[in-house]
Amino acid sequence: MFKGLGGLGDMAGMMKKAQEMQSKMGEMQDNLSSITVIGESGAGLVKATCTAKGELVGLDIDPSIFVPSEKEMAEDLILAAIKDAQARAGERSQQEMGKIAESMGLPPGMKLPF
C-alpha cells in the first residue's frame, strides 16, 4: 500500500544533498574572492594580480617600460599580464571547484556548476 514512499525518501535525500552542494558552492564563491593569483609579462616587468574569480585587483609596472616611443609595447605588456592573471584565475577556480566535487563524491573532472 505504501510502496511509493521509498521514492519520497530518496527524493528527500537528494534535496538534502542539493542543499549541501548549494551551501558549499556559496562558500567556494566567497573563498574565490580571497584567493589571489599573479600573472606576468615581459619577464616580470608587468605583474597583474587577480582574485580567483578573475577580478583584477592590482598592477605592478616597472617604470622602465614607460618610454614614450614604446607606448604600444607597454600597452601590450600590460594586457598580456592581465590575460595571464585571468587565465591563472580560471585554472585556480577550476581547482577549487574540483575540490568541492571530490568532497561530494562526484567523479574527477566533473565541471561545477553543472
Side-chain angles (χ1 to χ4, degrees), residues 38-87:
I38 298 174
E40 52 181 76
S41 67
L45 290 174
V46 179
K47 296 177 184 172
T49 303
C50 282
T51 67
K53 285 180 126 178
E55 178 186 353
L56 183 65
V57 293
L59 279 174
D60 181 20
I61 303 171
D62 188 294
S64 68
I65 72 167
F66 294 116
V67 177
S69 63
E70 300 292 330
K71 179 182 179 293
E72 287 182 19
M73 182 197 64
E75 292 169 345
D76 289 344
L77 288 173
I78 293 167
L79 285 174
I82 291 170
K83 287 179 181 180
D84 185 43
Q86 289 173 331

